[in-house]
Amino acid sequence: MPSSYIKSVTFDCTDALLLATFWAAALGSDVDEDSTVAKAFVEPAGWGGPTLWFQQVPEGKSAKNRMHFDLRAPGTVADEVERLVALGATRLGGTSDLVVMQDPEGNEFCVE
């Protein structure tokens, strides 16, 4: 019997379009043209990978993520961290080999 696969990863957020724009730029993709502040999505760049969905919710983020992305830097970790900060991310800590960051709405992710 076939198994399930991950179709999409969904983010609850305050501004779906803002967060989708950040993640599209971070991952080298585009925000779907029908996206709004209430709902937005980003198709994966290249082949494979789940779609990223962003949905507006009334409550803000209140705790550390229980799941997060680990991004592989295409060059040096330092250069990728600098690029992501320019897009709106915040560096939280880490080492030269693995940096913990937050997206514009506070969702944690790592760059290695």
Side-chain angles (χ1 to χ4, degrees):
M1 175 174 249
S3 59
S4 297
Y5 64 93
I6 298 172
K7 176 186 172 240
S8 62
V9 175
T10 304
F11 288 76
D12 289 350
C13 54
T14 303
D15 184 331
L17 193 55
L18 174 82
L19 205 53
T21 300
F22 169 80
W23 280 106
L27 300 175
S29 189
D30 296 305
V31 177
D32 182 77
E33 63 187 28
D34 294 329
S35 296
T36 67
V37 171
K39 61 180 181 174
F41 71 94
V42 174
E43 294 283 343
W47 295 96
T51 299
L52 301 181
W53 279 93
F54 303 87
Q55 62 185 9
Q56 188 178 54
V57 296
E59 68 277 356
K61 183 176 181 292
S62 62
K64 183 180 179 297
N65 296 8
R66 304 245 345 191
M67 188 276 300
H68 68 268
F69 292 134
D70 287 338
L71 305 181
R72 176 68 47 104
T76 69
V77 171
D79 286 346
E80 184 64 357
V81 167
E82 184 178 322
R83 185 181 78 85
L84 294 168
V85 167
L87 293 173
T90 304
R91 181 185 174 136
L92 295 179
T95 65
S96 61
D97 295 332
L98 185 130
V99 176
V100 179
M101 303 187 77
Q102 285 182 328
D103 71 17
E105 288 210 10
N107 299 297
E108 297 89 4
F109 65 97
C110 295
V111 178
E112 57 182 64

